mmCIF file of all heavy atoms in Angstrom:
data_model
loop_
_atom_site.group_PDB
_atom_site.id
_atom_site.type_symbol
_atom_site.label_atom_id
_atom_site.label_comp_id
_atom_site.label_asym_id
_atom_site.label_seq_id
_atom_site.Cartn_x
_atom_site.Cartn_y
_atom_site.Cartn_z
ATOM 1 N N ILE A 1 34.059 -9.389 -120.654
ATOM 2 C CA ILE A 1 34.630 -10.718 -120.492
ATOM 3 C C ILE A 1 33.494 -11.718 -120.641
ATOM 4 O O ILE A 1 32.424 -11.553 -120.062
ATOM 5 C CB ILE A 1 35.296 -10.878 -119.116
ATOM 6 C CG1 ILE A 1 36.477 -9.910 -118.968
ATOM 7 C CG2 ILE A 1 35.772 -12.308 -118.901
ATOM 8 C CD1 ILE A 1 37.109 -9.921 -117.600
ATOM 9 N N SER A 2 33.688 -12.759 -121.426
ATOM 10 C CA SER A 2 32.649 -13.765 -121.644
ATOM 11 C C SER A 2 32.239 -14.418 -120.328
ATOM 12 O O SER A 2 33.029 -14.500 -119.374
ATOM 13 C CB SER A 2 33.130 -14.833 -122.621
ATOM 14 O OG SER A 2 33.426 -14.256 -123.877
ATOM 15 N N GLY A 3 30.986 -14.879 -120.287
ATOM 16 C CA GLY A 3 30.479 -15.556 -119.107
ATOM 17 C C GLY A 3 29.726 -16.813 -119.498
ATOM 18 O O GLY A 3 29.444 -17.044 -120.673
ATOM 19 N N SER A 4 29.397 -17.633 -118.513
ATOM 20 C CA SER A 4 28.692 -18.873 -118.801
ATOM 21 C C SER A 4 27.704 -19.196 -117.692
ATOM 22 O O SER A 4 27.769 -18.652 -116.583
ATOM 23 C CB SER A 4 29.673 -20.024 -118.986
ATOM 24 O OG SER A 4 30.418 -20.225 -117.799
ATOM 25 N N GLY A 5 26.793 -20.092 -118.000
ATOM 26 C CA GLY A 5 25.797 -20.554 -117.042
ATOM 27 C C GLY A 5 25.179 -21.832 -117.559
ATOM 28 O O GLY A 5 25.398 -22.228 -118.707
ATOM 29 N N SER A 6 24.400 -22.513 -116.726
ATOM 30 C CA SER A 6 23.784 -23.769 -117.143
ATOM 31 C C SER A 6 22.382 -23.895 -116.574
ATOM 32 O O SER A 6 22.024 -23.231 -115.587
ATOM 33 C CB SER A 6 24.646 -24.951 -116.707
ATOM 34 O OG SER A 6 24.736 -25.012 -115.292
ATOM 35 N N ALA A 7 21.595 -24.729 -117.216
ATOM 36 C CA ALA A 7 20.229 -25.002 -116.767
ATOM 37 C C ALA A 7 19.916 -26.462 -117.066
ATOM 38 O O ALA A 7 20.429 -27.035 -118.034
ATOM 39 C CB ALA A 7 19.243 -24.086 -117.466
ATOM 40 N N SER A 8 19.075 -27.084 -116.227
ATOM 41 C CA SER A 8 18.736 -28.502 -116.392
ATOM 42 C C SER A 8 17.240 -28.670 -116.626
ATOM 43 O O SER A 8 16.418 -28.180 -115.836
ATOM 44 C CB SER A 8 19.154 -29.301 -115.154
ATOM 45 O OG SER A 8 20.561 -29.267 -114.975
ATOM 46 N N VAL A 9 16.895 -29.332 -117.715
ATOM 47 C CA VAL A 9 15.511 -29.710 -117.993
ATOM 48 C C VAL A 9 15.281 -31.071 -117.349
ATOM 49 O O VAL A 9 15.972 -32.050 -117.675
ATOM 50 C CB VAL A 9 15.241 -29.777 -119.506
ATOM 51 C CG1 VAL A 9 13.814 -30.247 -119.773
ATOM 52 C CG2 VAL A 9 15.492 -28.421 -120.151
ATOM 53 N N THR A 10 14.327 -31.158 -116.389
ATOM 54 C CA THR A 10 14.128 -32.400 -115.633
ATOM 55 C C THR A 10 12.837 -33.115 -115.967
ATOM 56 O O THR A 10 12.689 -34.300 -115.653
ATOM 57 C CB THR A 10 14.151 -32.110 -114.122
ATOM 58 O OG1 THR A 10 13.107 -31.180 -113.805
ATOM 59 C CG2 THR A 10 15.515 -31.541 -113.705
ATOM 60 N N LYS A 11 11.897 -32.395 -116.592
ATOM 61 C CA LYS A 11 10.625 -33.029 -116.917
ATOM 62 C C LYS A 11 9.967 -32.283 -118.056
ATOM 63 O O LYS A 11 10.353 -31.161 -118.405
ATOM 64 C CB LYS A 11 9.714 -33.027 -115.697
ATOM 65 C CG LYS A 11 9.329 -31.638 -115.188
ATOM 66 C CD LYS A 11 8.481 -31.727 -113.939
ATOM 67 C CE LYS A 11 8.043 -30.346 -113.437
ATOM 68 N NZ LYS A 11 9.159 -29.482 -113.112
ATOM 69 N N ALA A 12 8.968 -32.919 -118.624
ATOM 70 C CA ALA A 12 8.226 -32.302 -119.726
ATOM 71 C C ALA A 12 7.594 -30.993 -119.272
ATOM 72 O O ALA A 12 7.058 -30.890 -118.164
ATOM 73 C CB ALA A 12 7.136 -33.250 -120.227
ATOM 74 N N GLY A 13 7.690 -29.984 -120.115
ATOM 75 C CA GLY A 13 7.065 -28.694 -119.818
ATOM 76 C C GLY A 13 7.905 -27.762 -118.983
ATOM 77 O O GLY A 13 7.470 -26.648 -118.655
ATOM 78 N N ASP A 14 9.106 -28.196 -118.590
ATOM 79 C CA ASP A 14 9.987 -27.288 -117.835
ATOM 80 C C ASP A 14 10.225 -26.006 -118.621
ATOM 81 O O ASP A 14 10.491 -26.031 -119.831
ATOM 82 C CB ASP A 14 11.331 -27.965 -117.563
ATOM 83 C CG ASP A 14 11.389 -28.595 -116.173
ATOM 84 O OD1 ASP A 14 10.434 -28.404 -115.412
ATOM 85 O OD2 ASP A 14 12.405 -29.259 -115.879
ATOM 86 N N SER A 15 10.106 -24.887 -117.924
ATOM 87 C CA SER A 15 10.429 -23.588 -118.519
ATOM 88 C C SER A 15 11.411 -22.899 -117.585
ATOM 89 O O SER A 15 11.024 -22.406 -116.517
ATOM 90 C CB SER A 15 9.163 -22.740 -118.707
ATOM 91 O OG SER A 15 9.476 -21.489 -119.283
ATOM 92 N N LEU A 16 12.654 -22.891 -117.955
ATOM 93 C CA LEU A 16 13.721 -22.452 -117.062
ATOM 94 C C LEU A 16 14.367 -21.158 -117.534
ATOM 95 O O LEU A 16 14.295 -20.791 -118.715
ATOM 96 C CB LEU A 16 14.796 -23.537 -116.971
ATOM 97 C CG LEU A 16 14.314 -24.937 -116.579
ATOM 98 C CD1 LEU A 16 15.449 -25.930 -116.725
ATOM 99 C CD2 LEU A 16 13.765 -24.944 -115.154
ATOM 100 N N THR A 17 15.001 -20.475 -116.608
ATOM 101 C CA THR A 17 15.788 -19.281 -116.957
ATOM 102 C C THR A 17 17.181 -19.425 -116.348
ATOM 103 O O THR A 17 17.370 -20.079 -115.317
ATOM 104 C CB THR A 17 15.156 -17.987 -116.421
ATOM 105 O OG1 THR A 17 15.081 -18.039 -114.991
ATOM 106 C CG2 THR A 17 13.756 -17.792 -117.005
ATOM 107 N N VAL A 18 18.139 -18.840 -116.984
ATOM 108 C CA VAL A 18 19.501 -18.791 -116.458
ATOM 109 C C VAL A 18 20.047 -17.394 -116.718
ATOM 110 O O VAL A 18 19.792 -16.809 -117.777
ATOM 111 C CB VAL A 18 20.398 -19.865 -117.104
ATOM 112 C CG1 VAL A 18 20.483 -19.690 -118.605
ATOM 113 C CG2 VAL A 18 21.797 -19.846 -116.486
ATOM 114 N N THR A 19 20.729 -16.848 -115.740
ATOM 115 C CA THR A 19 21.309 -15.510 -115.874
ATOM 116 C C THR A 19 22.824 -15.630 -116.005
ATOM 117 O O THR A 19 23.472 -16.304 -115.201
ATOM 118 C CB THR A 19 20.968 -14.627 -114.661
ATOM 119 O OG1 THR A 19 19.548 -14.495 -114.570
ATOM 120 C CG2 THR A 19 21.585 -13.235 -114.827
ATOM 121 N N ILE A 20 23.369 -14.981 -117.014
ATOM 122 C CA ILE A 20 24.816 -14.955 -117.234
ATOM 123 C C ILE A 20 25.306 -13.520 -117.037
ATOM 124 O O ILE A 20 24.757 -12.582 -117.645
ATOM 125 C CB ILE A 20 25.178 -15.452 -118.646
ATOM 126 C CG1 ILE A 20 24.721 -16.899 -118.842
ATOM 127 C CG2 ILE A 20 26.682 -15.334 -118.886
ATOM 128 C CD1 ILE A 20 24.934 -17.418 -120.250
ATOM 129 N N TYR A 21 26.280 -13.348 -116.188
ATOM 130 C CA TYR A 21 26.828 -12.025 -115.924
ATOM 131 C C TYR A 21 28.103 -11.821 -116.739
ATOM 132 O O TYR A 21 29.013 -12.652 -116.707
ATOM 133 C CB TYR A 21 27.128 -11.851 -114.437
ATOM 134 C CG TYR A 21 25.885 -11.818 -113.574
ATOM 135 C CD1 TYR A 21 25.403 -12.992 -112.983
ATOM 136 C CD2 TYR A 21 25.187 -10.637 -113.376
ATOM 137 C CE1 TYR A 21 24.254 -12.968 -112.201
ATOM 138 C CE2 TYR A 21 24.032 -10.604 -112.596
ATOM 139 C CZ TYR A 21 23.576 -11.777 -112.011
ATOM 140 O OH TYR A 21 22.436 -11.756 -111.247
ATOM 141 N N LEU A 22 28.148 -10.709 -117.469
ATOM 142 C CA LEU A 22 29.331 -10.347 -118.234
ATOM 143 C C LEU A 22 30.038 -9.189 -117.535
ATOM 144 O O LEU A 22 29.404 -8.213 -117.129
ATOM 145 C CB LEU A 22 28.961 -9.940 -119.660
ATOM 146 C CG LEU A 22 28.230 -10.992 -120.510
ATOM 147 C CD1 LEU A 22 28.049 -10.460 -121.940
ATOM 148 C CD2 LEU A 22 28.983 -12.304 -120.529
ATOM 149 N N THR A 23 31.338 -9.301 -117.405
ATOM 150 C CA THR A 23 32.130 -8.249 -116.745
ATOM 151 C C THR A 23 32.597 -7.226 -117.775
ATOM 152 O O THR A 23 33.283 -7.580 -118.733
ATOM 153 C CB THR A 23 33.359 -8.857 -116.049
ATOM 154 O OG1 THR A 23 32.926 -9.832 -115.097
ATOM 155 C CG2 THR A 23 34.172 -7.772 -115.344
ATOM 156 N N PRO A 24 32.196 -5.945 -117.600
ATOM 157 C CA PRO A 24 32.626 -4.915 -118.559
ATOM 158 C C PRO A 24 34.126 -4.677 -118.483
ATOM 159 O O PRO A 24 34.709 -4.663 -117.396
ATOM 160 C CB PRO A 24 31.835 -3.684 -118.130
ATOM 161 C CG PRO A 24 31.511 -3.910 -116.694
ATOM 162 C CD PRO A 24 31.353 -5.388 -116.530
ATOM 163 N N ILE A 25 34.746 -4.499 -119.635
ATOM 164 C CA ILE A 25 36.184 -4.246 -119.700
ATOM 165 C C ILE A 25 36.477 -3.145 -120.717
ATOM 166 O O ILE A 25 35.637 -2.799 -121.548
ATOM 167 C CB ILE A 25 36.979 -5.512 -120.089
ATOM 168 C CG1 ILE A 25 36.452 -6.087 -121.415
ATOM 169 C CG2 ILE A 25 36.935 -6.551 -118.986
ATOM 170 C CD1 ILE A 25 37.262 -7.251 -121.948
ATOM 171 N N GLY A 26 37.672 -2.601 -120.623
ATOM 172 C CA GLY A 26 38.137 -1.593 -121.576
ATOM 173 C C GLY A 26 39.638 -1.677 -121.712
ATOM 174 O O GLY A 26 40.271 -2.648 -121.274
ATOM 175 N N SER A 27 40.232 -0.661 -122.292
ATOM 176 C CA SER A 27 41.682 -0.645 -122.477
ATOM 177 C C SER A 27 42.231 0.743 -122.186
ATOM 178 O O SER A 27 41.507 1.741 -122.260
ATOM 179 C CB SER A 27 42.047 -1.057 -123.909
ATOM 180 O OG SER A 27 41.593 -0.091 -124.839
ATOM 181 N N VAL A 28 43.502 0.776 -121.853
ATOM 182 C CA VAL A 28 44.207 2.045 -121.617
ATOM 183 C C VAL A 28 45.464 2.058 -122.476
ATOM 184 O O VAL A 28 46.251 1.105 -122.454
ATOM 185 C CB VAL A 28 44.605 2.221 -120.136
ATOM 186 C CG1 VAL A 28 45.461 3.472 -119.963
ATOM 187 C CG2 VAL A 28 43.372 2.301 -119.249
ATOM 188 N N THR A 29 45.621 3.121 -123.241
ATOM 189 C CA THR A 29 46.856 3.335 -123.990
ATOM 190 C C THR A 29 47.676 4.403 -123.284
ATOM 191 O O THR A 29 47.197 5.515 -123.053
ATOM 192 C CB THR A 29 46.572 3.770 -125.438
ATOM 193 O OG1 THR A 29 45.870 2.720 -126.109
ATOM 194 C CG2 THR A 29 47.872 4.044 -126.187
ATOM 195 N N VAL A 30 48.892 4.033 -122.903
ATOM 196 C CA VAL A 30 49.795 4.951 -122.201
ATOM 197 C C VAL A 30 50.740 5.589 -123.212
ATOM 198 O O VAL A 30 51.431 4.887 -123.952
ATOM 199 C CB VAL A 30 50.601 4.212 -121.121
ATOM 200 C CG1 VAL A 30 51.540 5.180 -120.400
ATOM 201 C CG2 VAL A 30 49.662 3.529 -120.125
ATOM 202 N N TYR A 31 50.739 6.914 -123.245
ATOM 203 C CA TYR A 31 51.685 7.668 -124.062
ATOM 204 C C TYR A 31 52.779 8.198 -123.140
ATOM 205 O O TYR A 31 52.480 8.758 -122.077
ATOM 206 C CB TYR A 31 51.006 8.851 -124.753
ATOM 207 C CG TYR A 31 50.016 8.463 -125.820
ATOM 208 C CD1 TYR A 31 48.703 8.136 -125.493
ATOM 209 C CD2 TYR A 31 50.378 8.435 -127.164
ATOM 210 C CE1 TYR A 31 47.780 7.778 -126.471
ATOM 211 C CE2 TYR A 31 49.476 8.084 -128.151
ATOM 212 C CZ TYR A 31 48.174 7.760 -127.796
ATOM 213 O OH TYR A 31 47.278 7.402 -128.763
ATOM 214 N N VAL A 32 54.036 8.030 -123.538
ATOM 215 C CA VAL A 32 55.153 8.554 -122.752
ATOM 216 C C VAL A 32 55.846 9.630 -123.569
ATOM 217 O O VAL A 32 56.266 9.392 -124.708
ATOM 218 C CB VAL A 32 56.147 7.434 -122.372
ATOM 219 C CG1 VAL A 32 57.299 8.009 -121.552
ATOM 220 C CG2 VAL A 32 55.428 6.340 -121.585
ATOM 221 N N ARG A 33 55.956 10.840 -122.995
ATOM 222 C CA ARG A 33 56.515 11.986 -123.714
ATOM 223 C C ARG A 33 57.634 12.665 -122.926
ATOM 224 O O ARG A 33 57.661 12.633 -121.694
ATOM 225 C CB ARG A 33 55.426 13.026 -124.012
ATOM 226 C CG ARG A 33 54.383 12.555 -125.021
ATOM 227 C CD ARG A 33 53.363 13.668 -125.303
ATOM 228 N NE ARG A 33 52.384 13.274 -126.300
ATOM 229 C CZ ARG A 33 52.534 13.407 -127.601
ATOM 230 N NH1 ARG A 33 53.662 13.949 -128.075
ATOM 231 N NH2 ARG A 33 51.594 13.023 -128.437
ATOM 232 N N ASP A 34 58.542 13.278 -123.668
ATOM 233 C CA ASP A 34 59.608 14.105 -123.105
ATOM 234 C C ASP A 34 58.974 15.421 -122.655
ATOM 235 O O ASP A 34 58.349 16.123 -123.453
ATOM 236 C CB ASP A 34 60.671 14.354 -124.179
ATOM 237 C CG ASP A 34 61.877 15.116 -123.660
ATOM 238 O OD1 ASP A 34 61.688 16.197 -123.083
ATOM 239 O OD2 ASP A 34 63.008 14.651 -123.881
ATOM 240 N N LYS A 35 59.107 15.741 -121.375
ATOM 241 C CA LYS A 35 58.461 16.944 -120.847
ATOM 242 C C LYS A 35 59.010 18.217 -121.458
ATOM 243 O O LYS A 35 58.307 19.227 -121.568
ATOM 244 C CB LYS A 35 58.612 16.994 -119.322
ATOM 245 C CG LYS A 35 57.796 18.092 -118.666
ATOM 246 C CD LYS A 35 57.859 18.006 -117.150
ATOM 247 C CE LYS A 35 56.985 19.070 -116.504
ATOM 248 N NZ LYS A 35 57.031 18.984 -115.016
ATOM 249 N N ALA A 36 60.267 18.189 -121.875
ATOM 250 C CA ALA A 36 60.885 19.390 -122.429
ATOM 251 C C ALA A 36 60.490 19.621 -123.885
ATOM 252 O O ALA A 36 60.255 20.755 -124.295
ATOM 253 C CB ALA A 36 62.406 19.305 -122.309
ATOM 254 N N THR A 37 60.406 18.556 -124.668
ATOM 255 C CA THR A 37 60.169 18.702 -126.115
ATOM 256 C C THR A 37 58.794 18.201 -126.558
ATOM 257 O O THR A 37 58.382 18.445 -127.686
ATOM 258 C CB THR A 37 61.222 17.919 -126.911
ATOM 259 O OG1 THR A 37 61.057 16.511 -126.645
ATOM 260 C CG2 THR A 37 62.621 18.341 -126.511
ATOM 261 N N ASN A 38 58.092 17.461 -125.664
ATOM 262 C CA ASN A 38 56.795 16.847 -125.957
ATOM 263 C C ASN A 38 56.912 15.674 -126.937
ATOM 264 O O ASN A 38 55.909 15.111 -127.371
ATOM 265 C CB ASN A 38 55.790 17.858 -126.495
ATOM 266 C CG ASN A 38 54.355 17.430 -126.258
ATOM 267 O OD1 ASN A 38 54.015 16.956 -125.169
ATOM 268 N ND2 ASN A 38 53.501 17.573 -127.260
ATOM 269 N N ALA A 39 58.126 15.302 -127.286
ATOM 270 C CA ALA A 39 58.321 14.184 -128.213
ATOM 271 C C ALA A 39 57.973 12.866 -127.530
ATOM 272 O O ALA A 39 58.230 12.673 -126.337
ATOM 273 C CB ALA A 39 59.769 14.147 -128.691
ATOM 274 N N LEU A 40 57.356 11.958 -128.288
ATOM 275 C CA LEU A 40 57.058 10.635 -127.773
ATOM 276 C C LEU A 40 58.354 9.852 -127.581
ATOM 277 O O LEU A 40 59.285 9.965 -128.380
ATOM 278 C CB LEU A 40 56.125 9.894 -128.728
ATOM 279 C CG LEU A 40 54.678 10.413 -128.724
ATOM 280 C CD1 LEU A 40 53.957 10.011 -129.996
ATOM 281 C CD2 LEU A 40 53.938 9.883 -127.495
#
C-alpha cells in the first residue's frame, strides 16, 4: 500500500531525512468446488 511523508527545509544547509512506511499486501483467490465431482 502506498505511503507518504514530509520534510521541511528551514535554513541553508539543512540535510533532512524522512521515513515512509509501506504496508505489505497480497491477494487470495478462492476456488469453490463440488466435493463429490471436484467440479468448480
Side-chain angles (χ1 to χ4, degrees):
I1 297 175
S2 299
S4 61
S6 63
S8 297
V9 177
T10 60
K11 63 183 182 300
D14 263 354
S15 180
L16 306 172
T17 61
V18 60
T19 299
I20 299 175
Y21 292 93
L22 301 185
T23 302
I25 55 174
S27 66
V28 174
T29 297
V30 180
Y31 292 84
V32 180
R33 292 182 178 273
D34 184 306
K35 189 174 183 179
T37 65
N38 204 43
L40 287 159

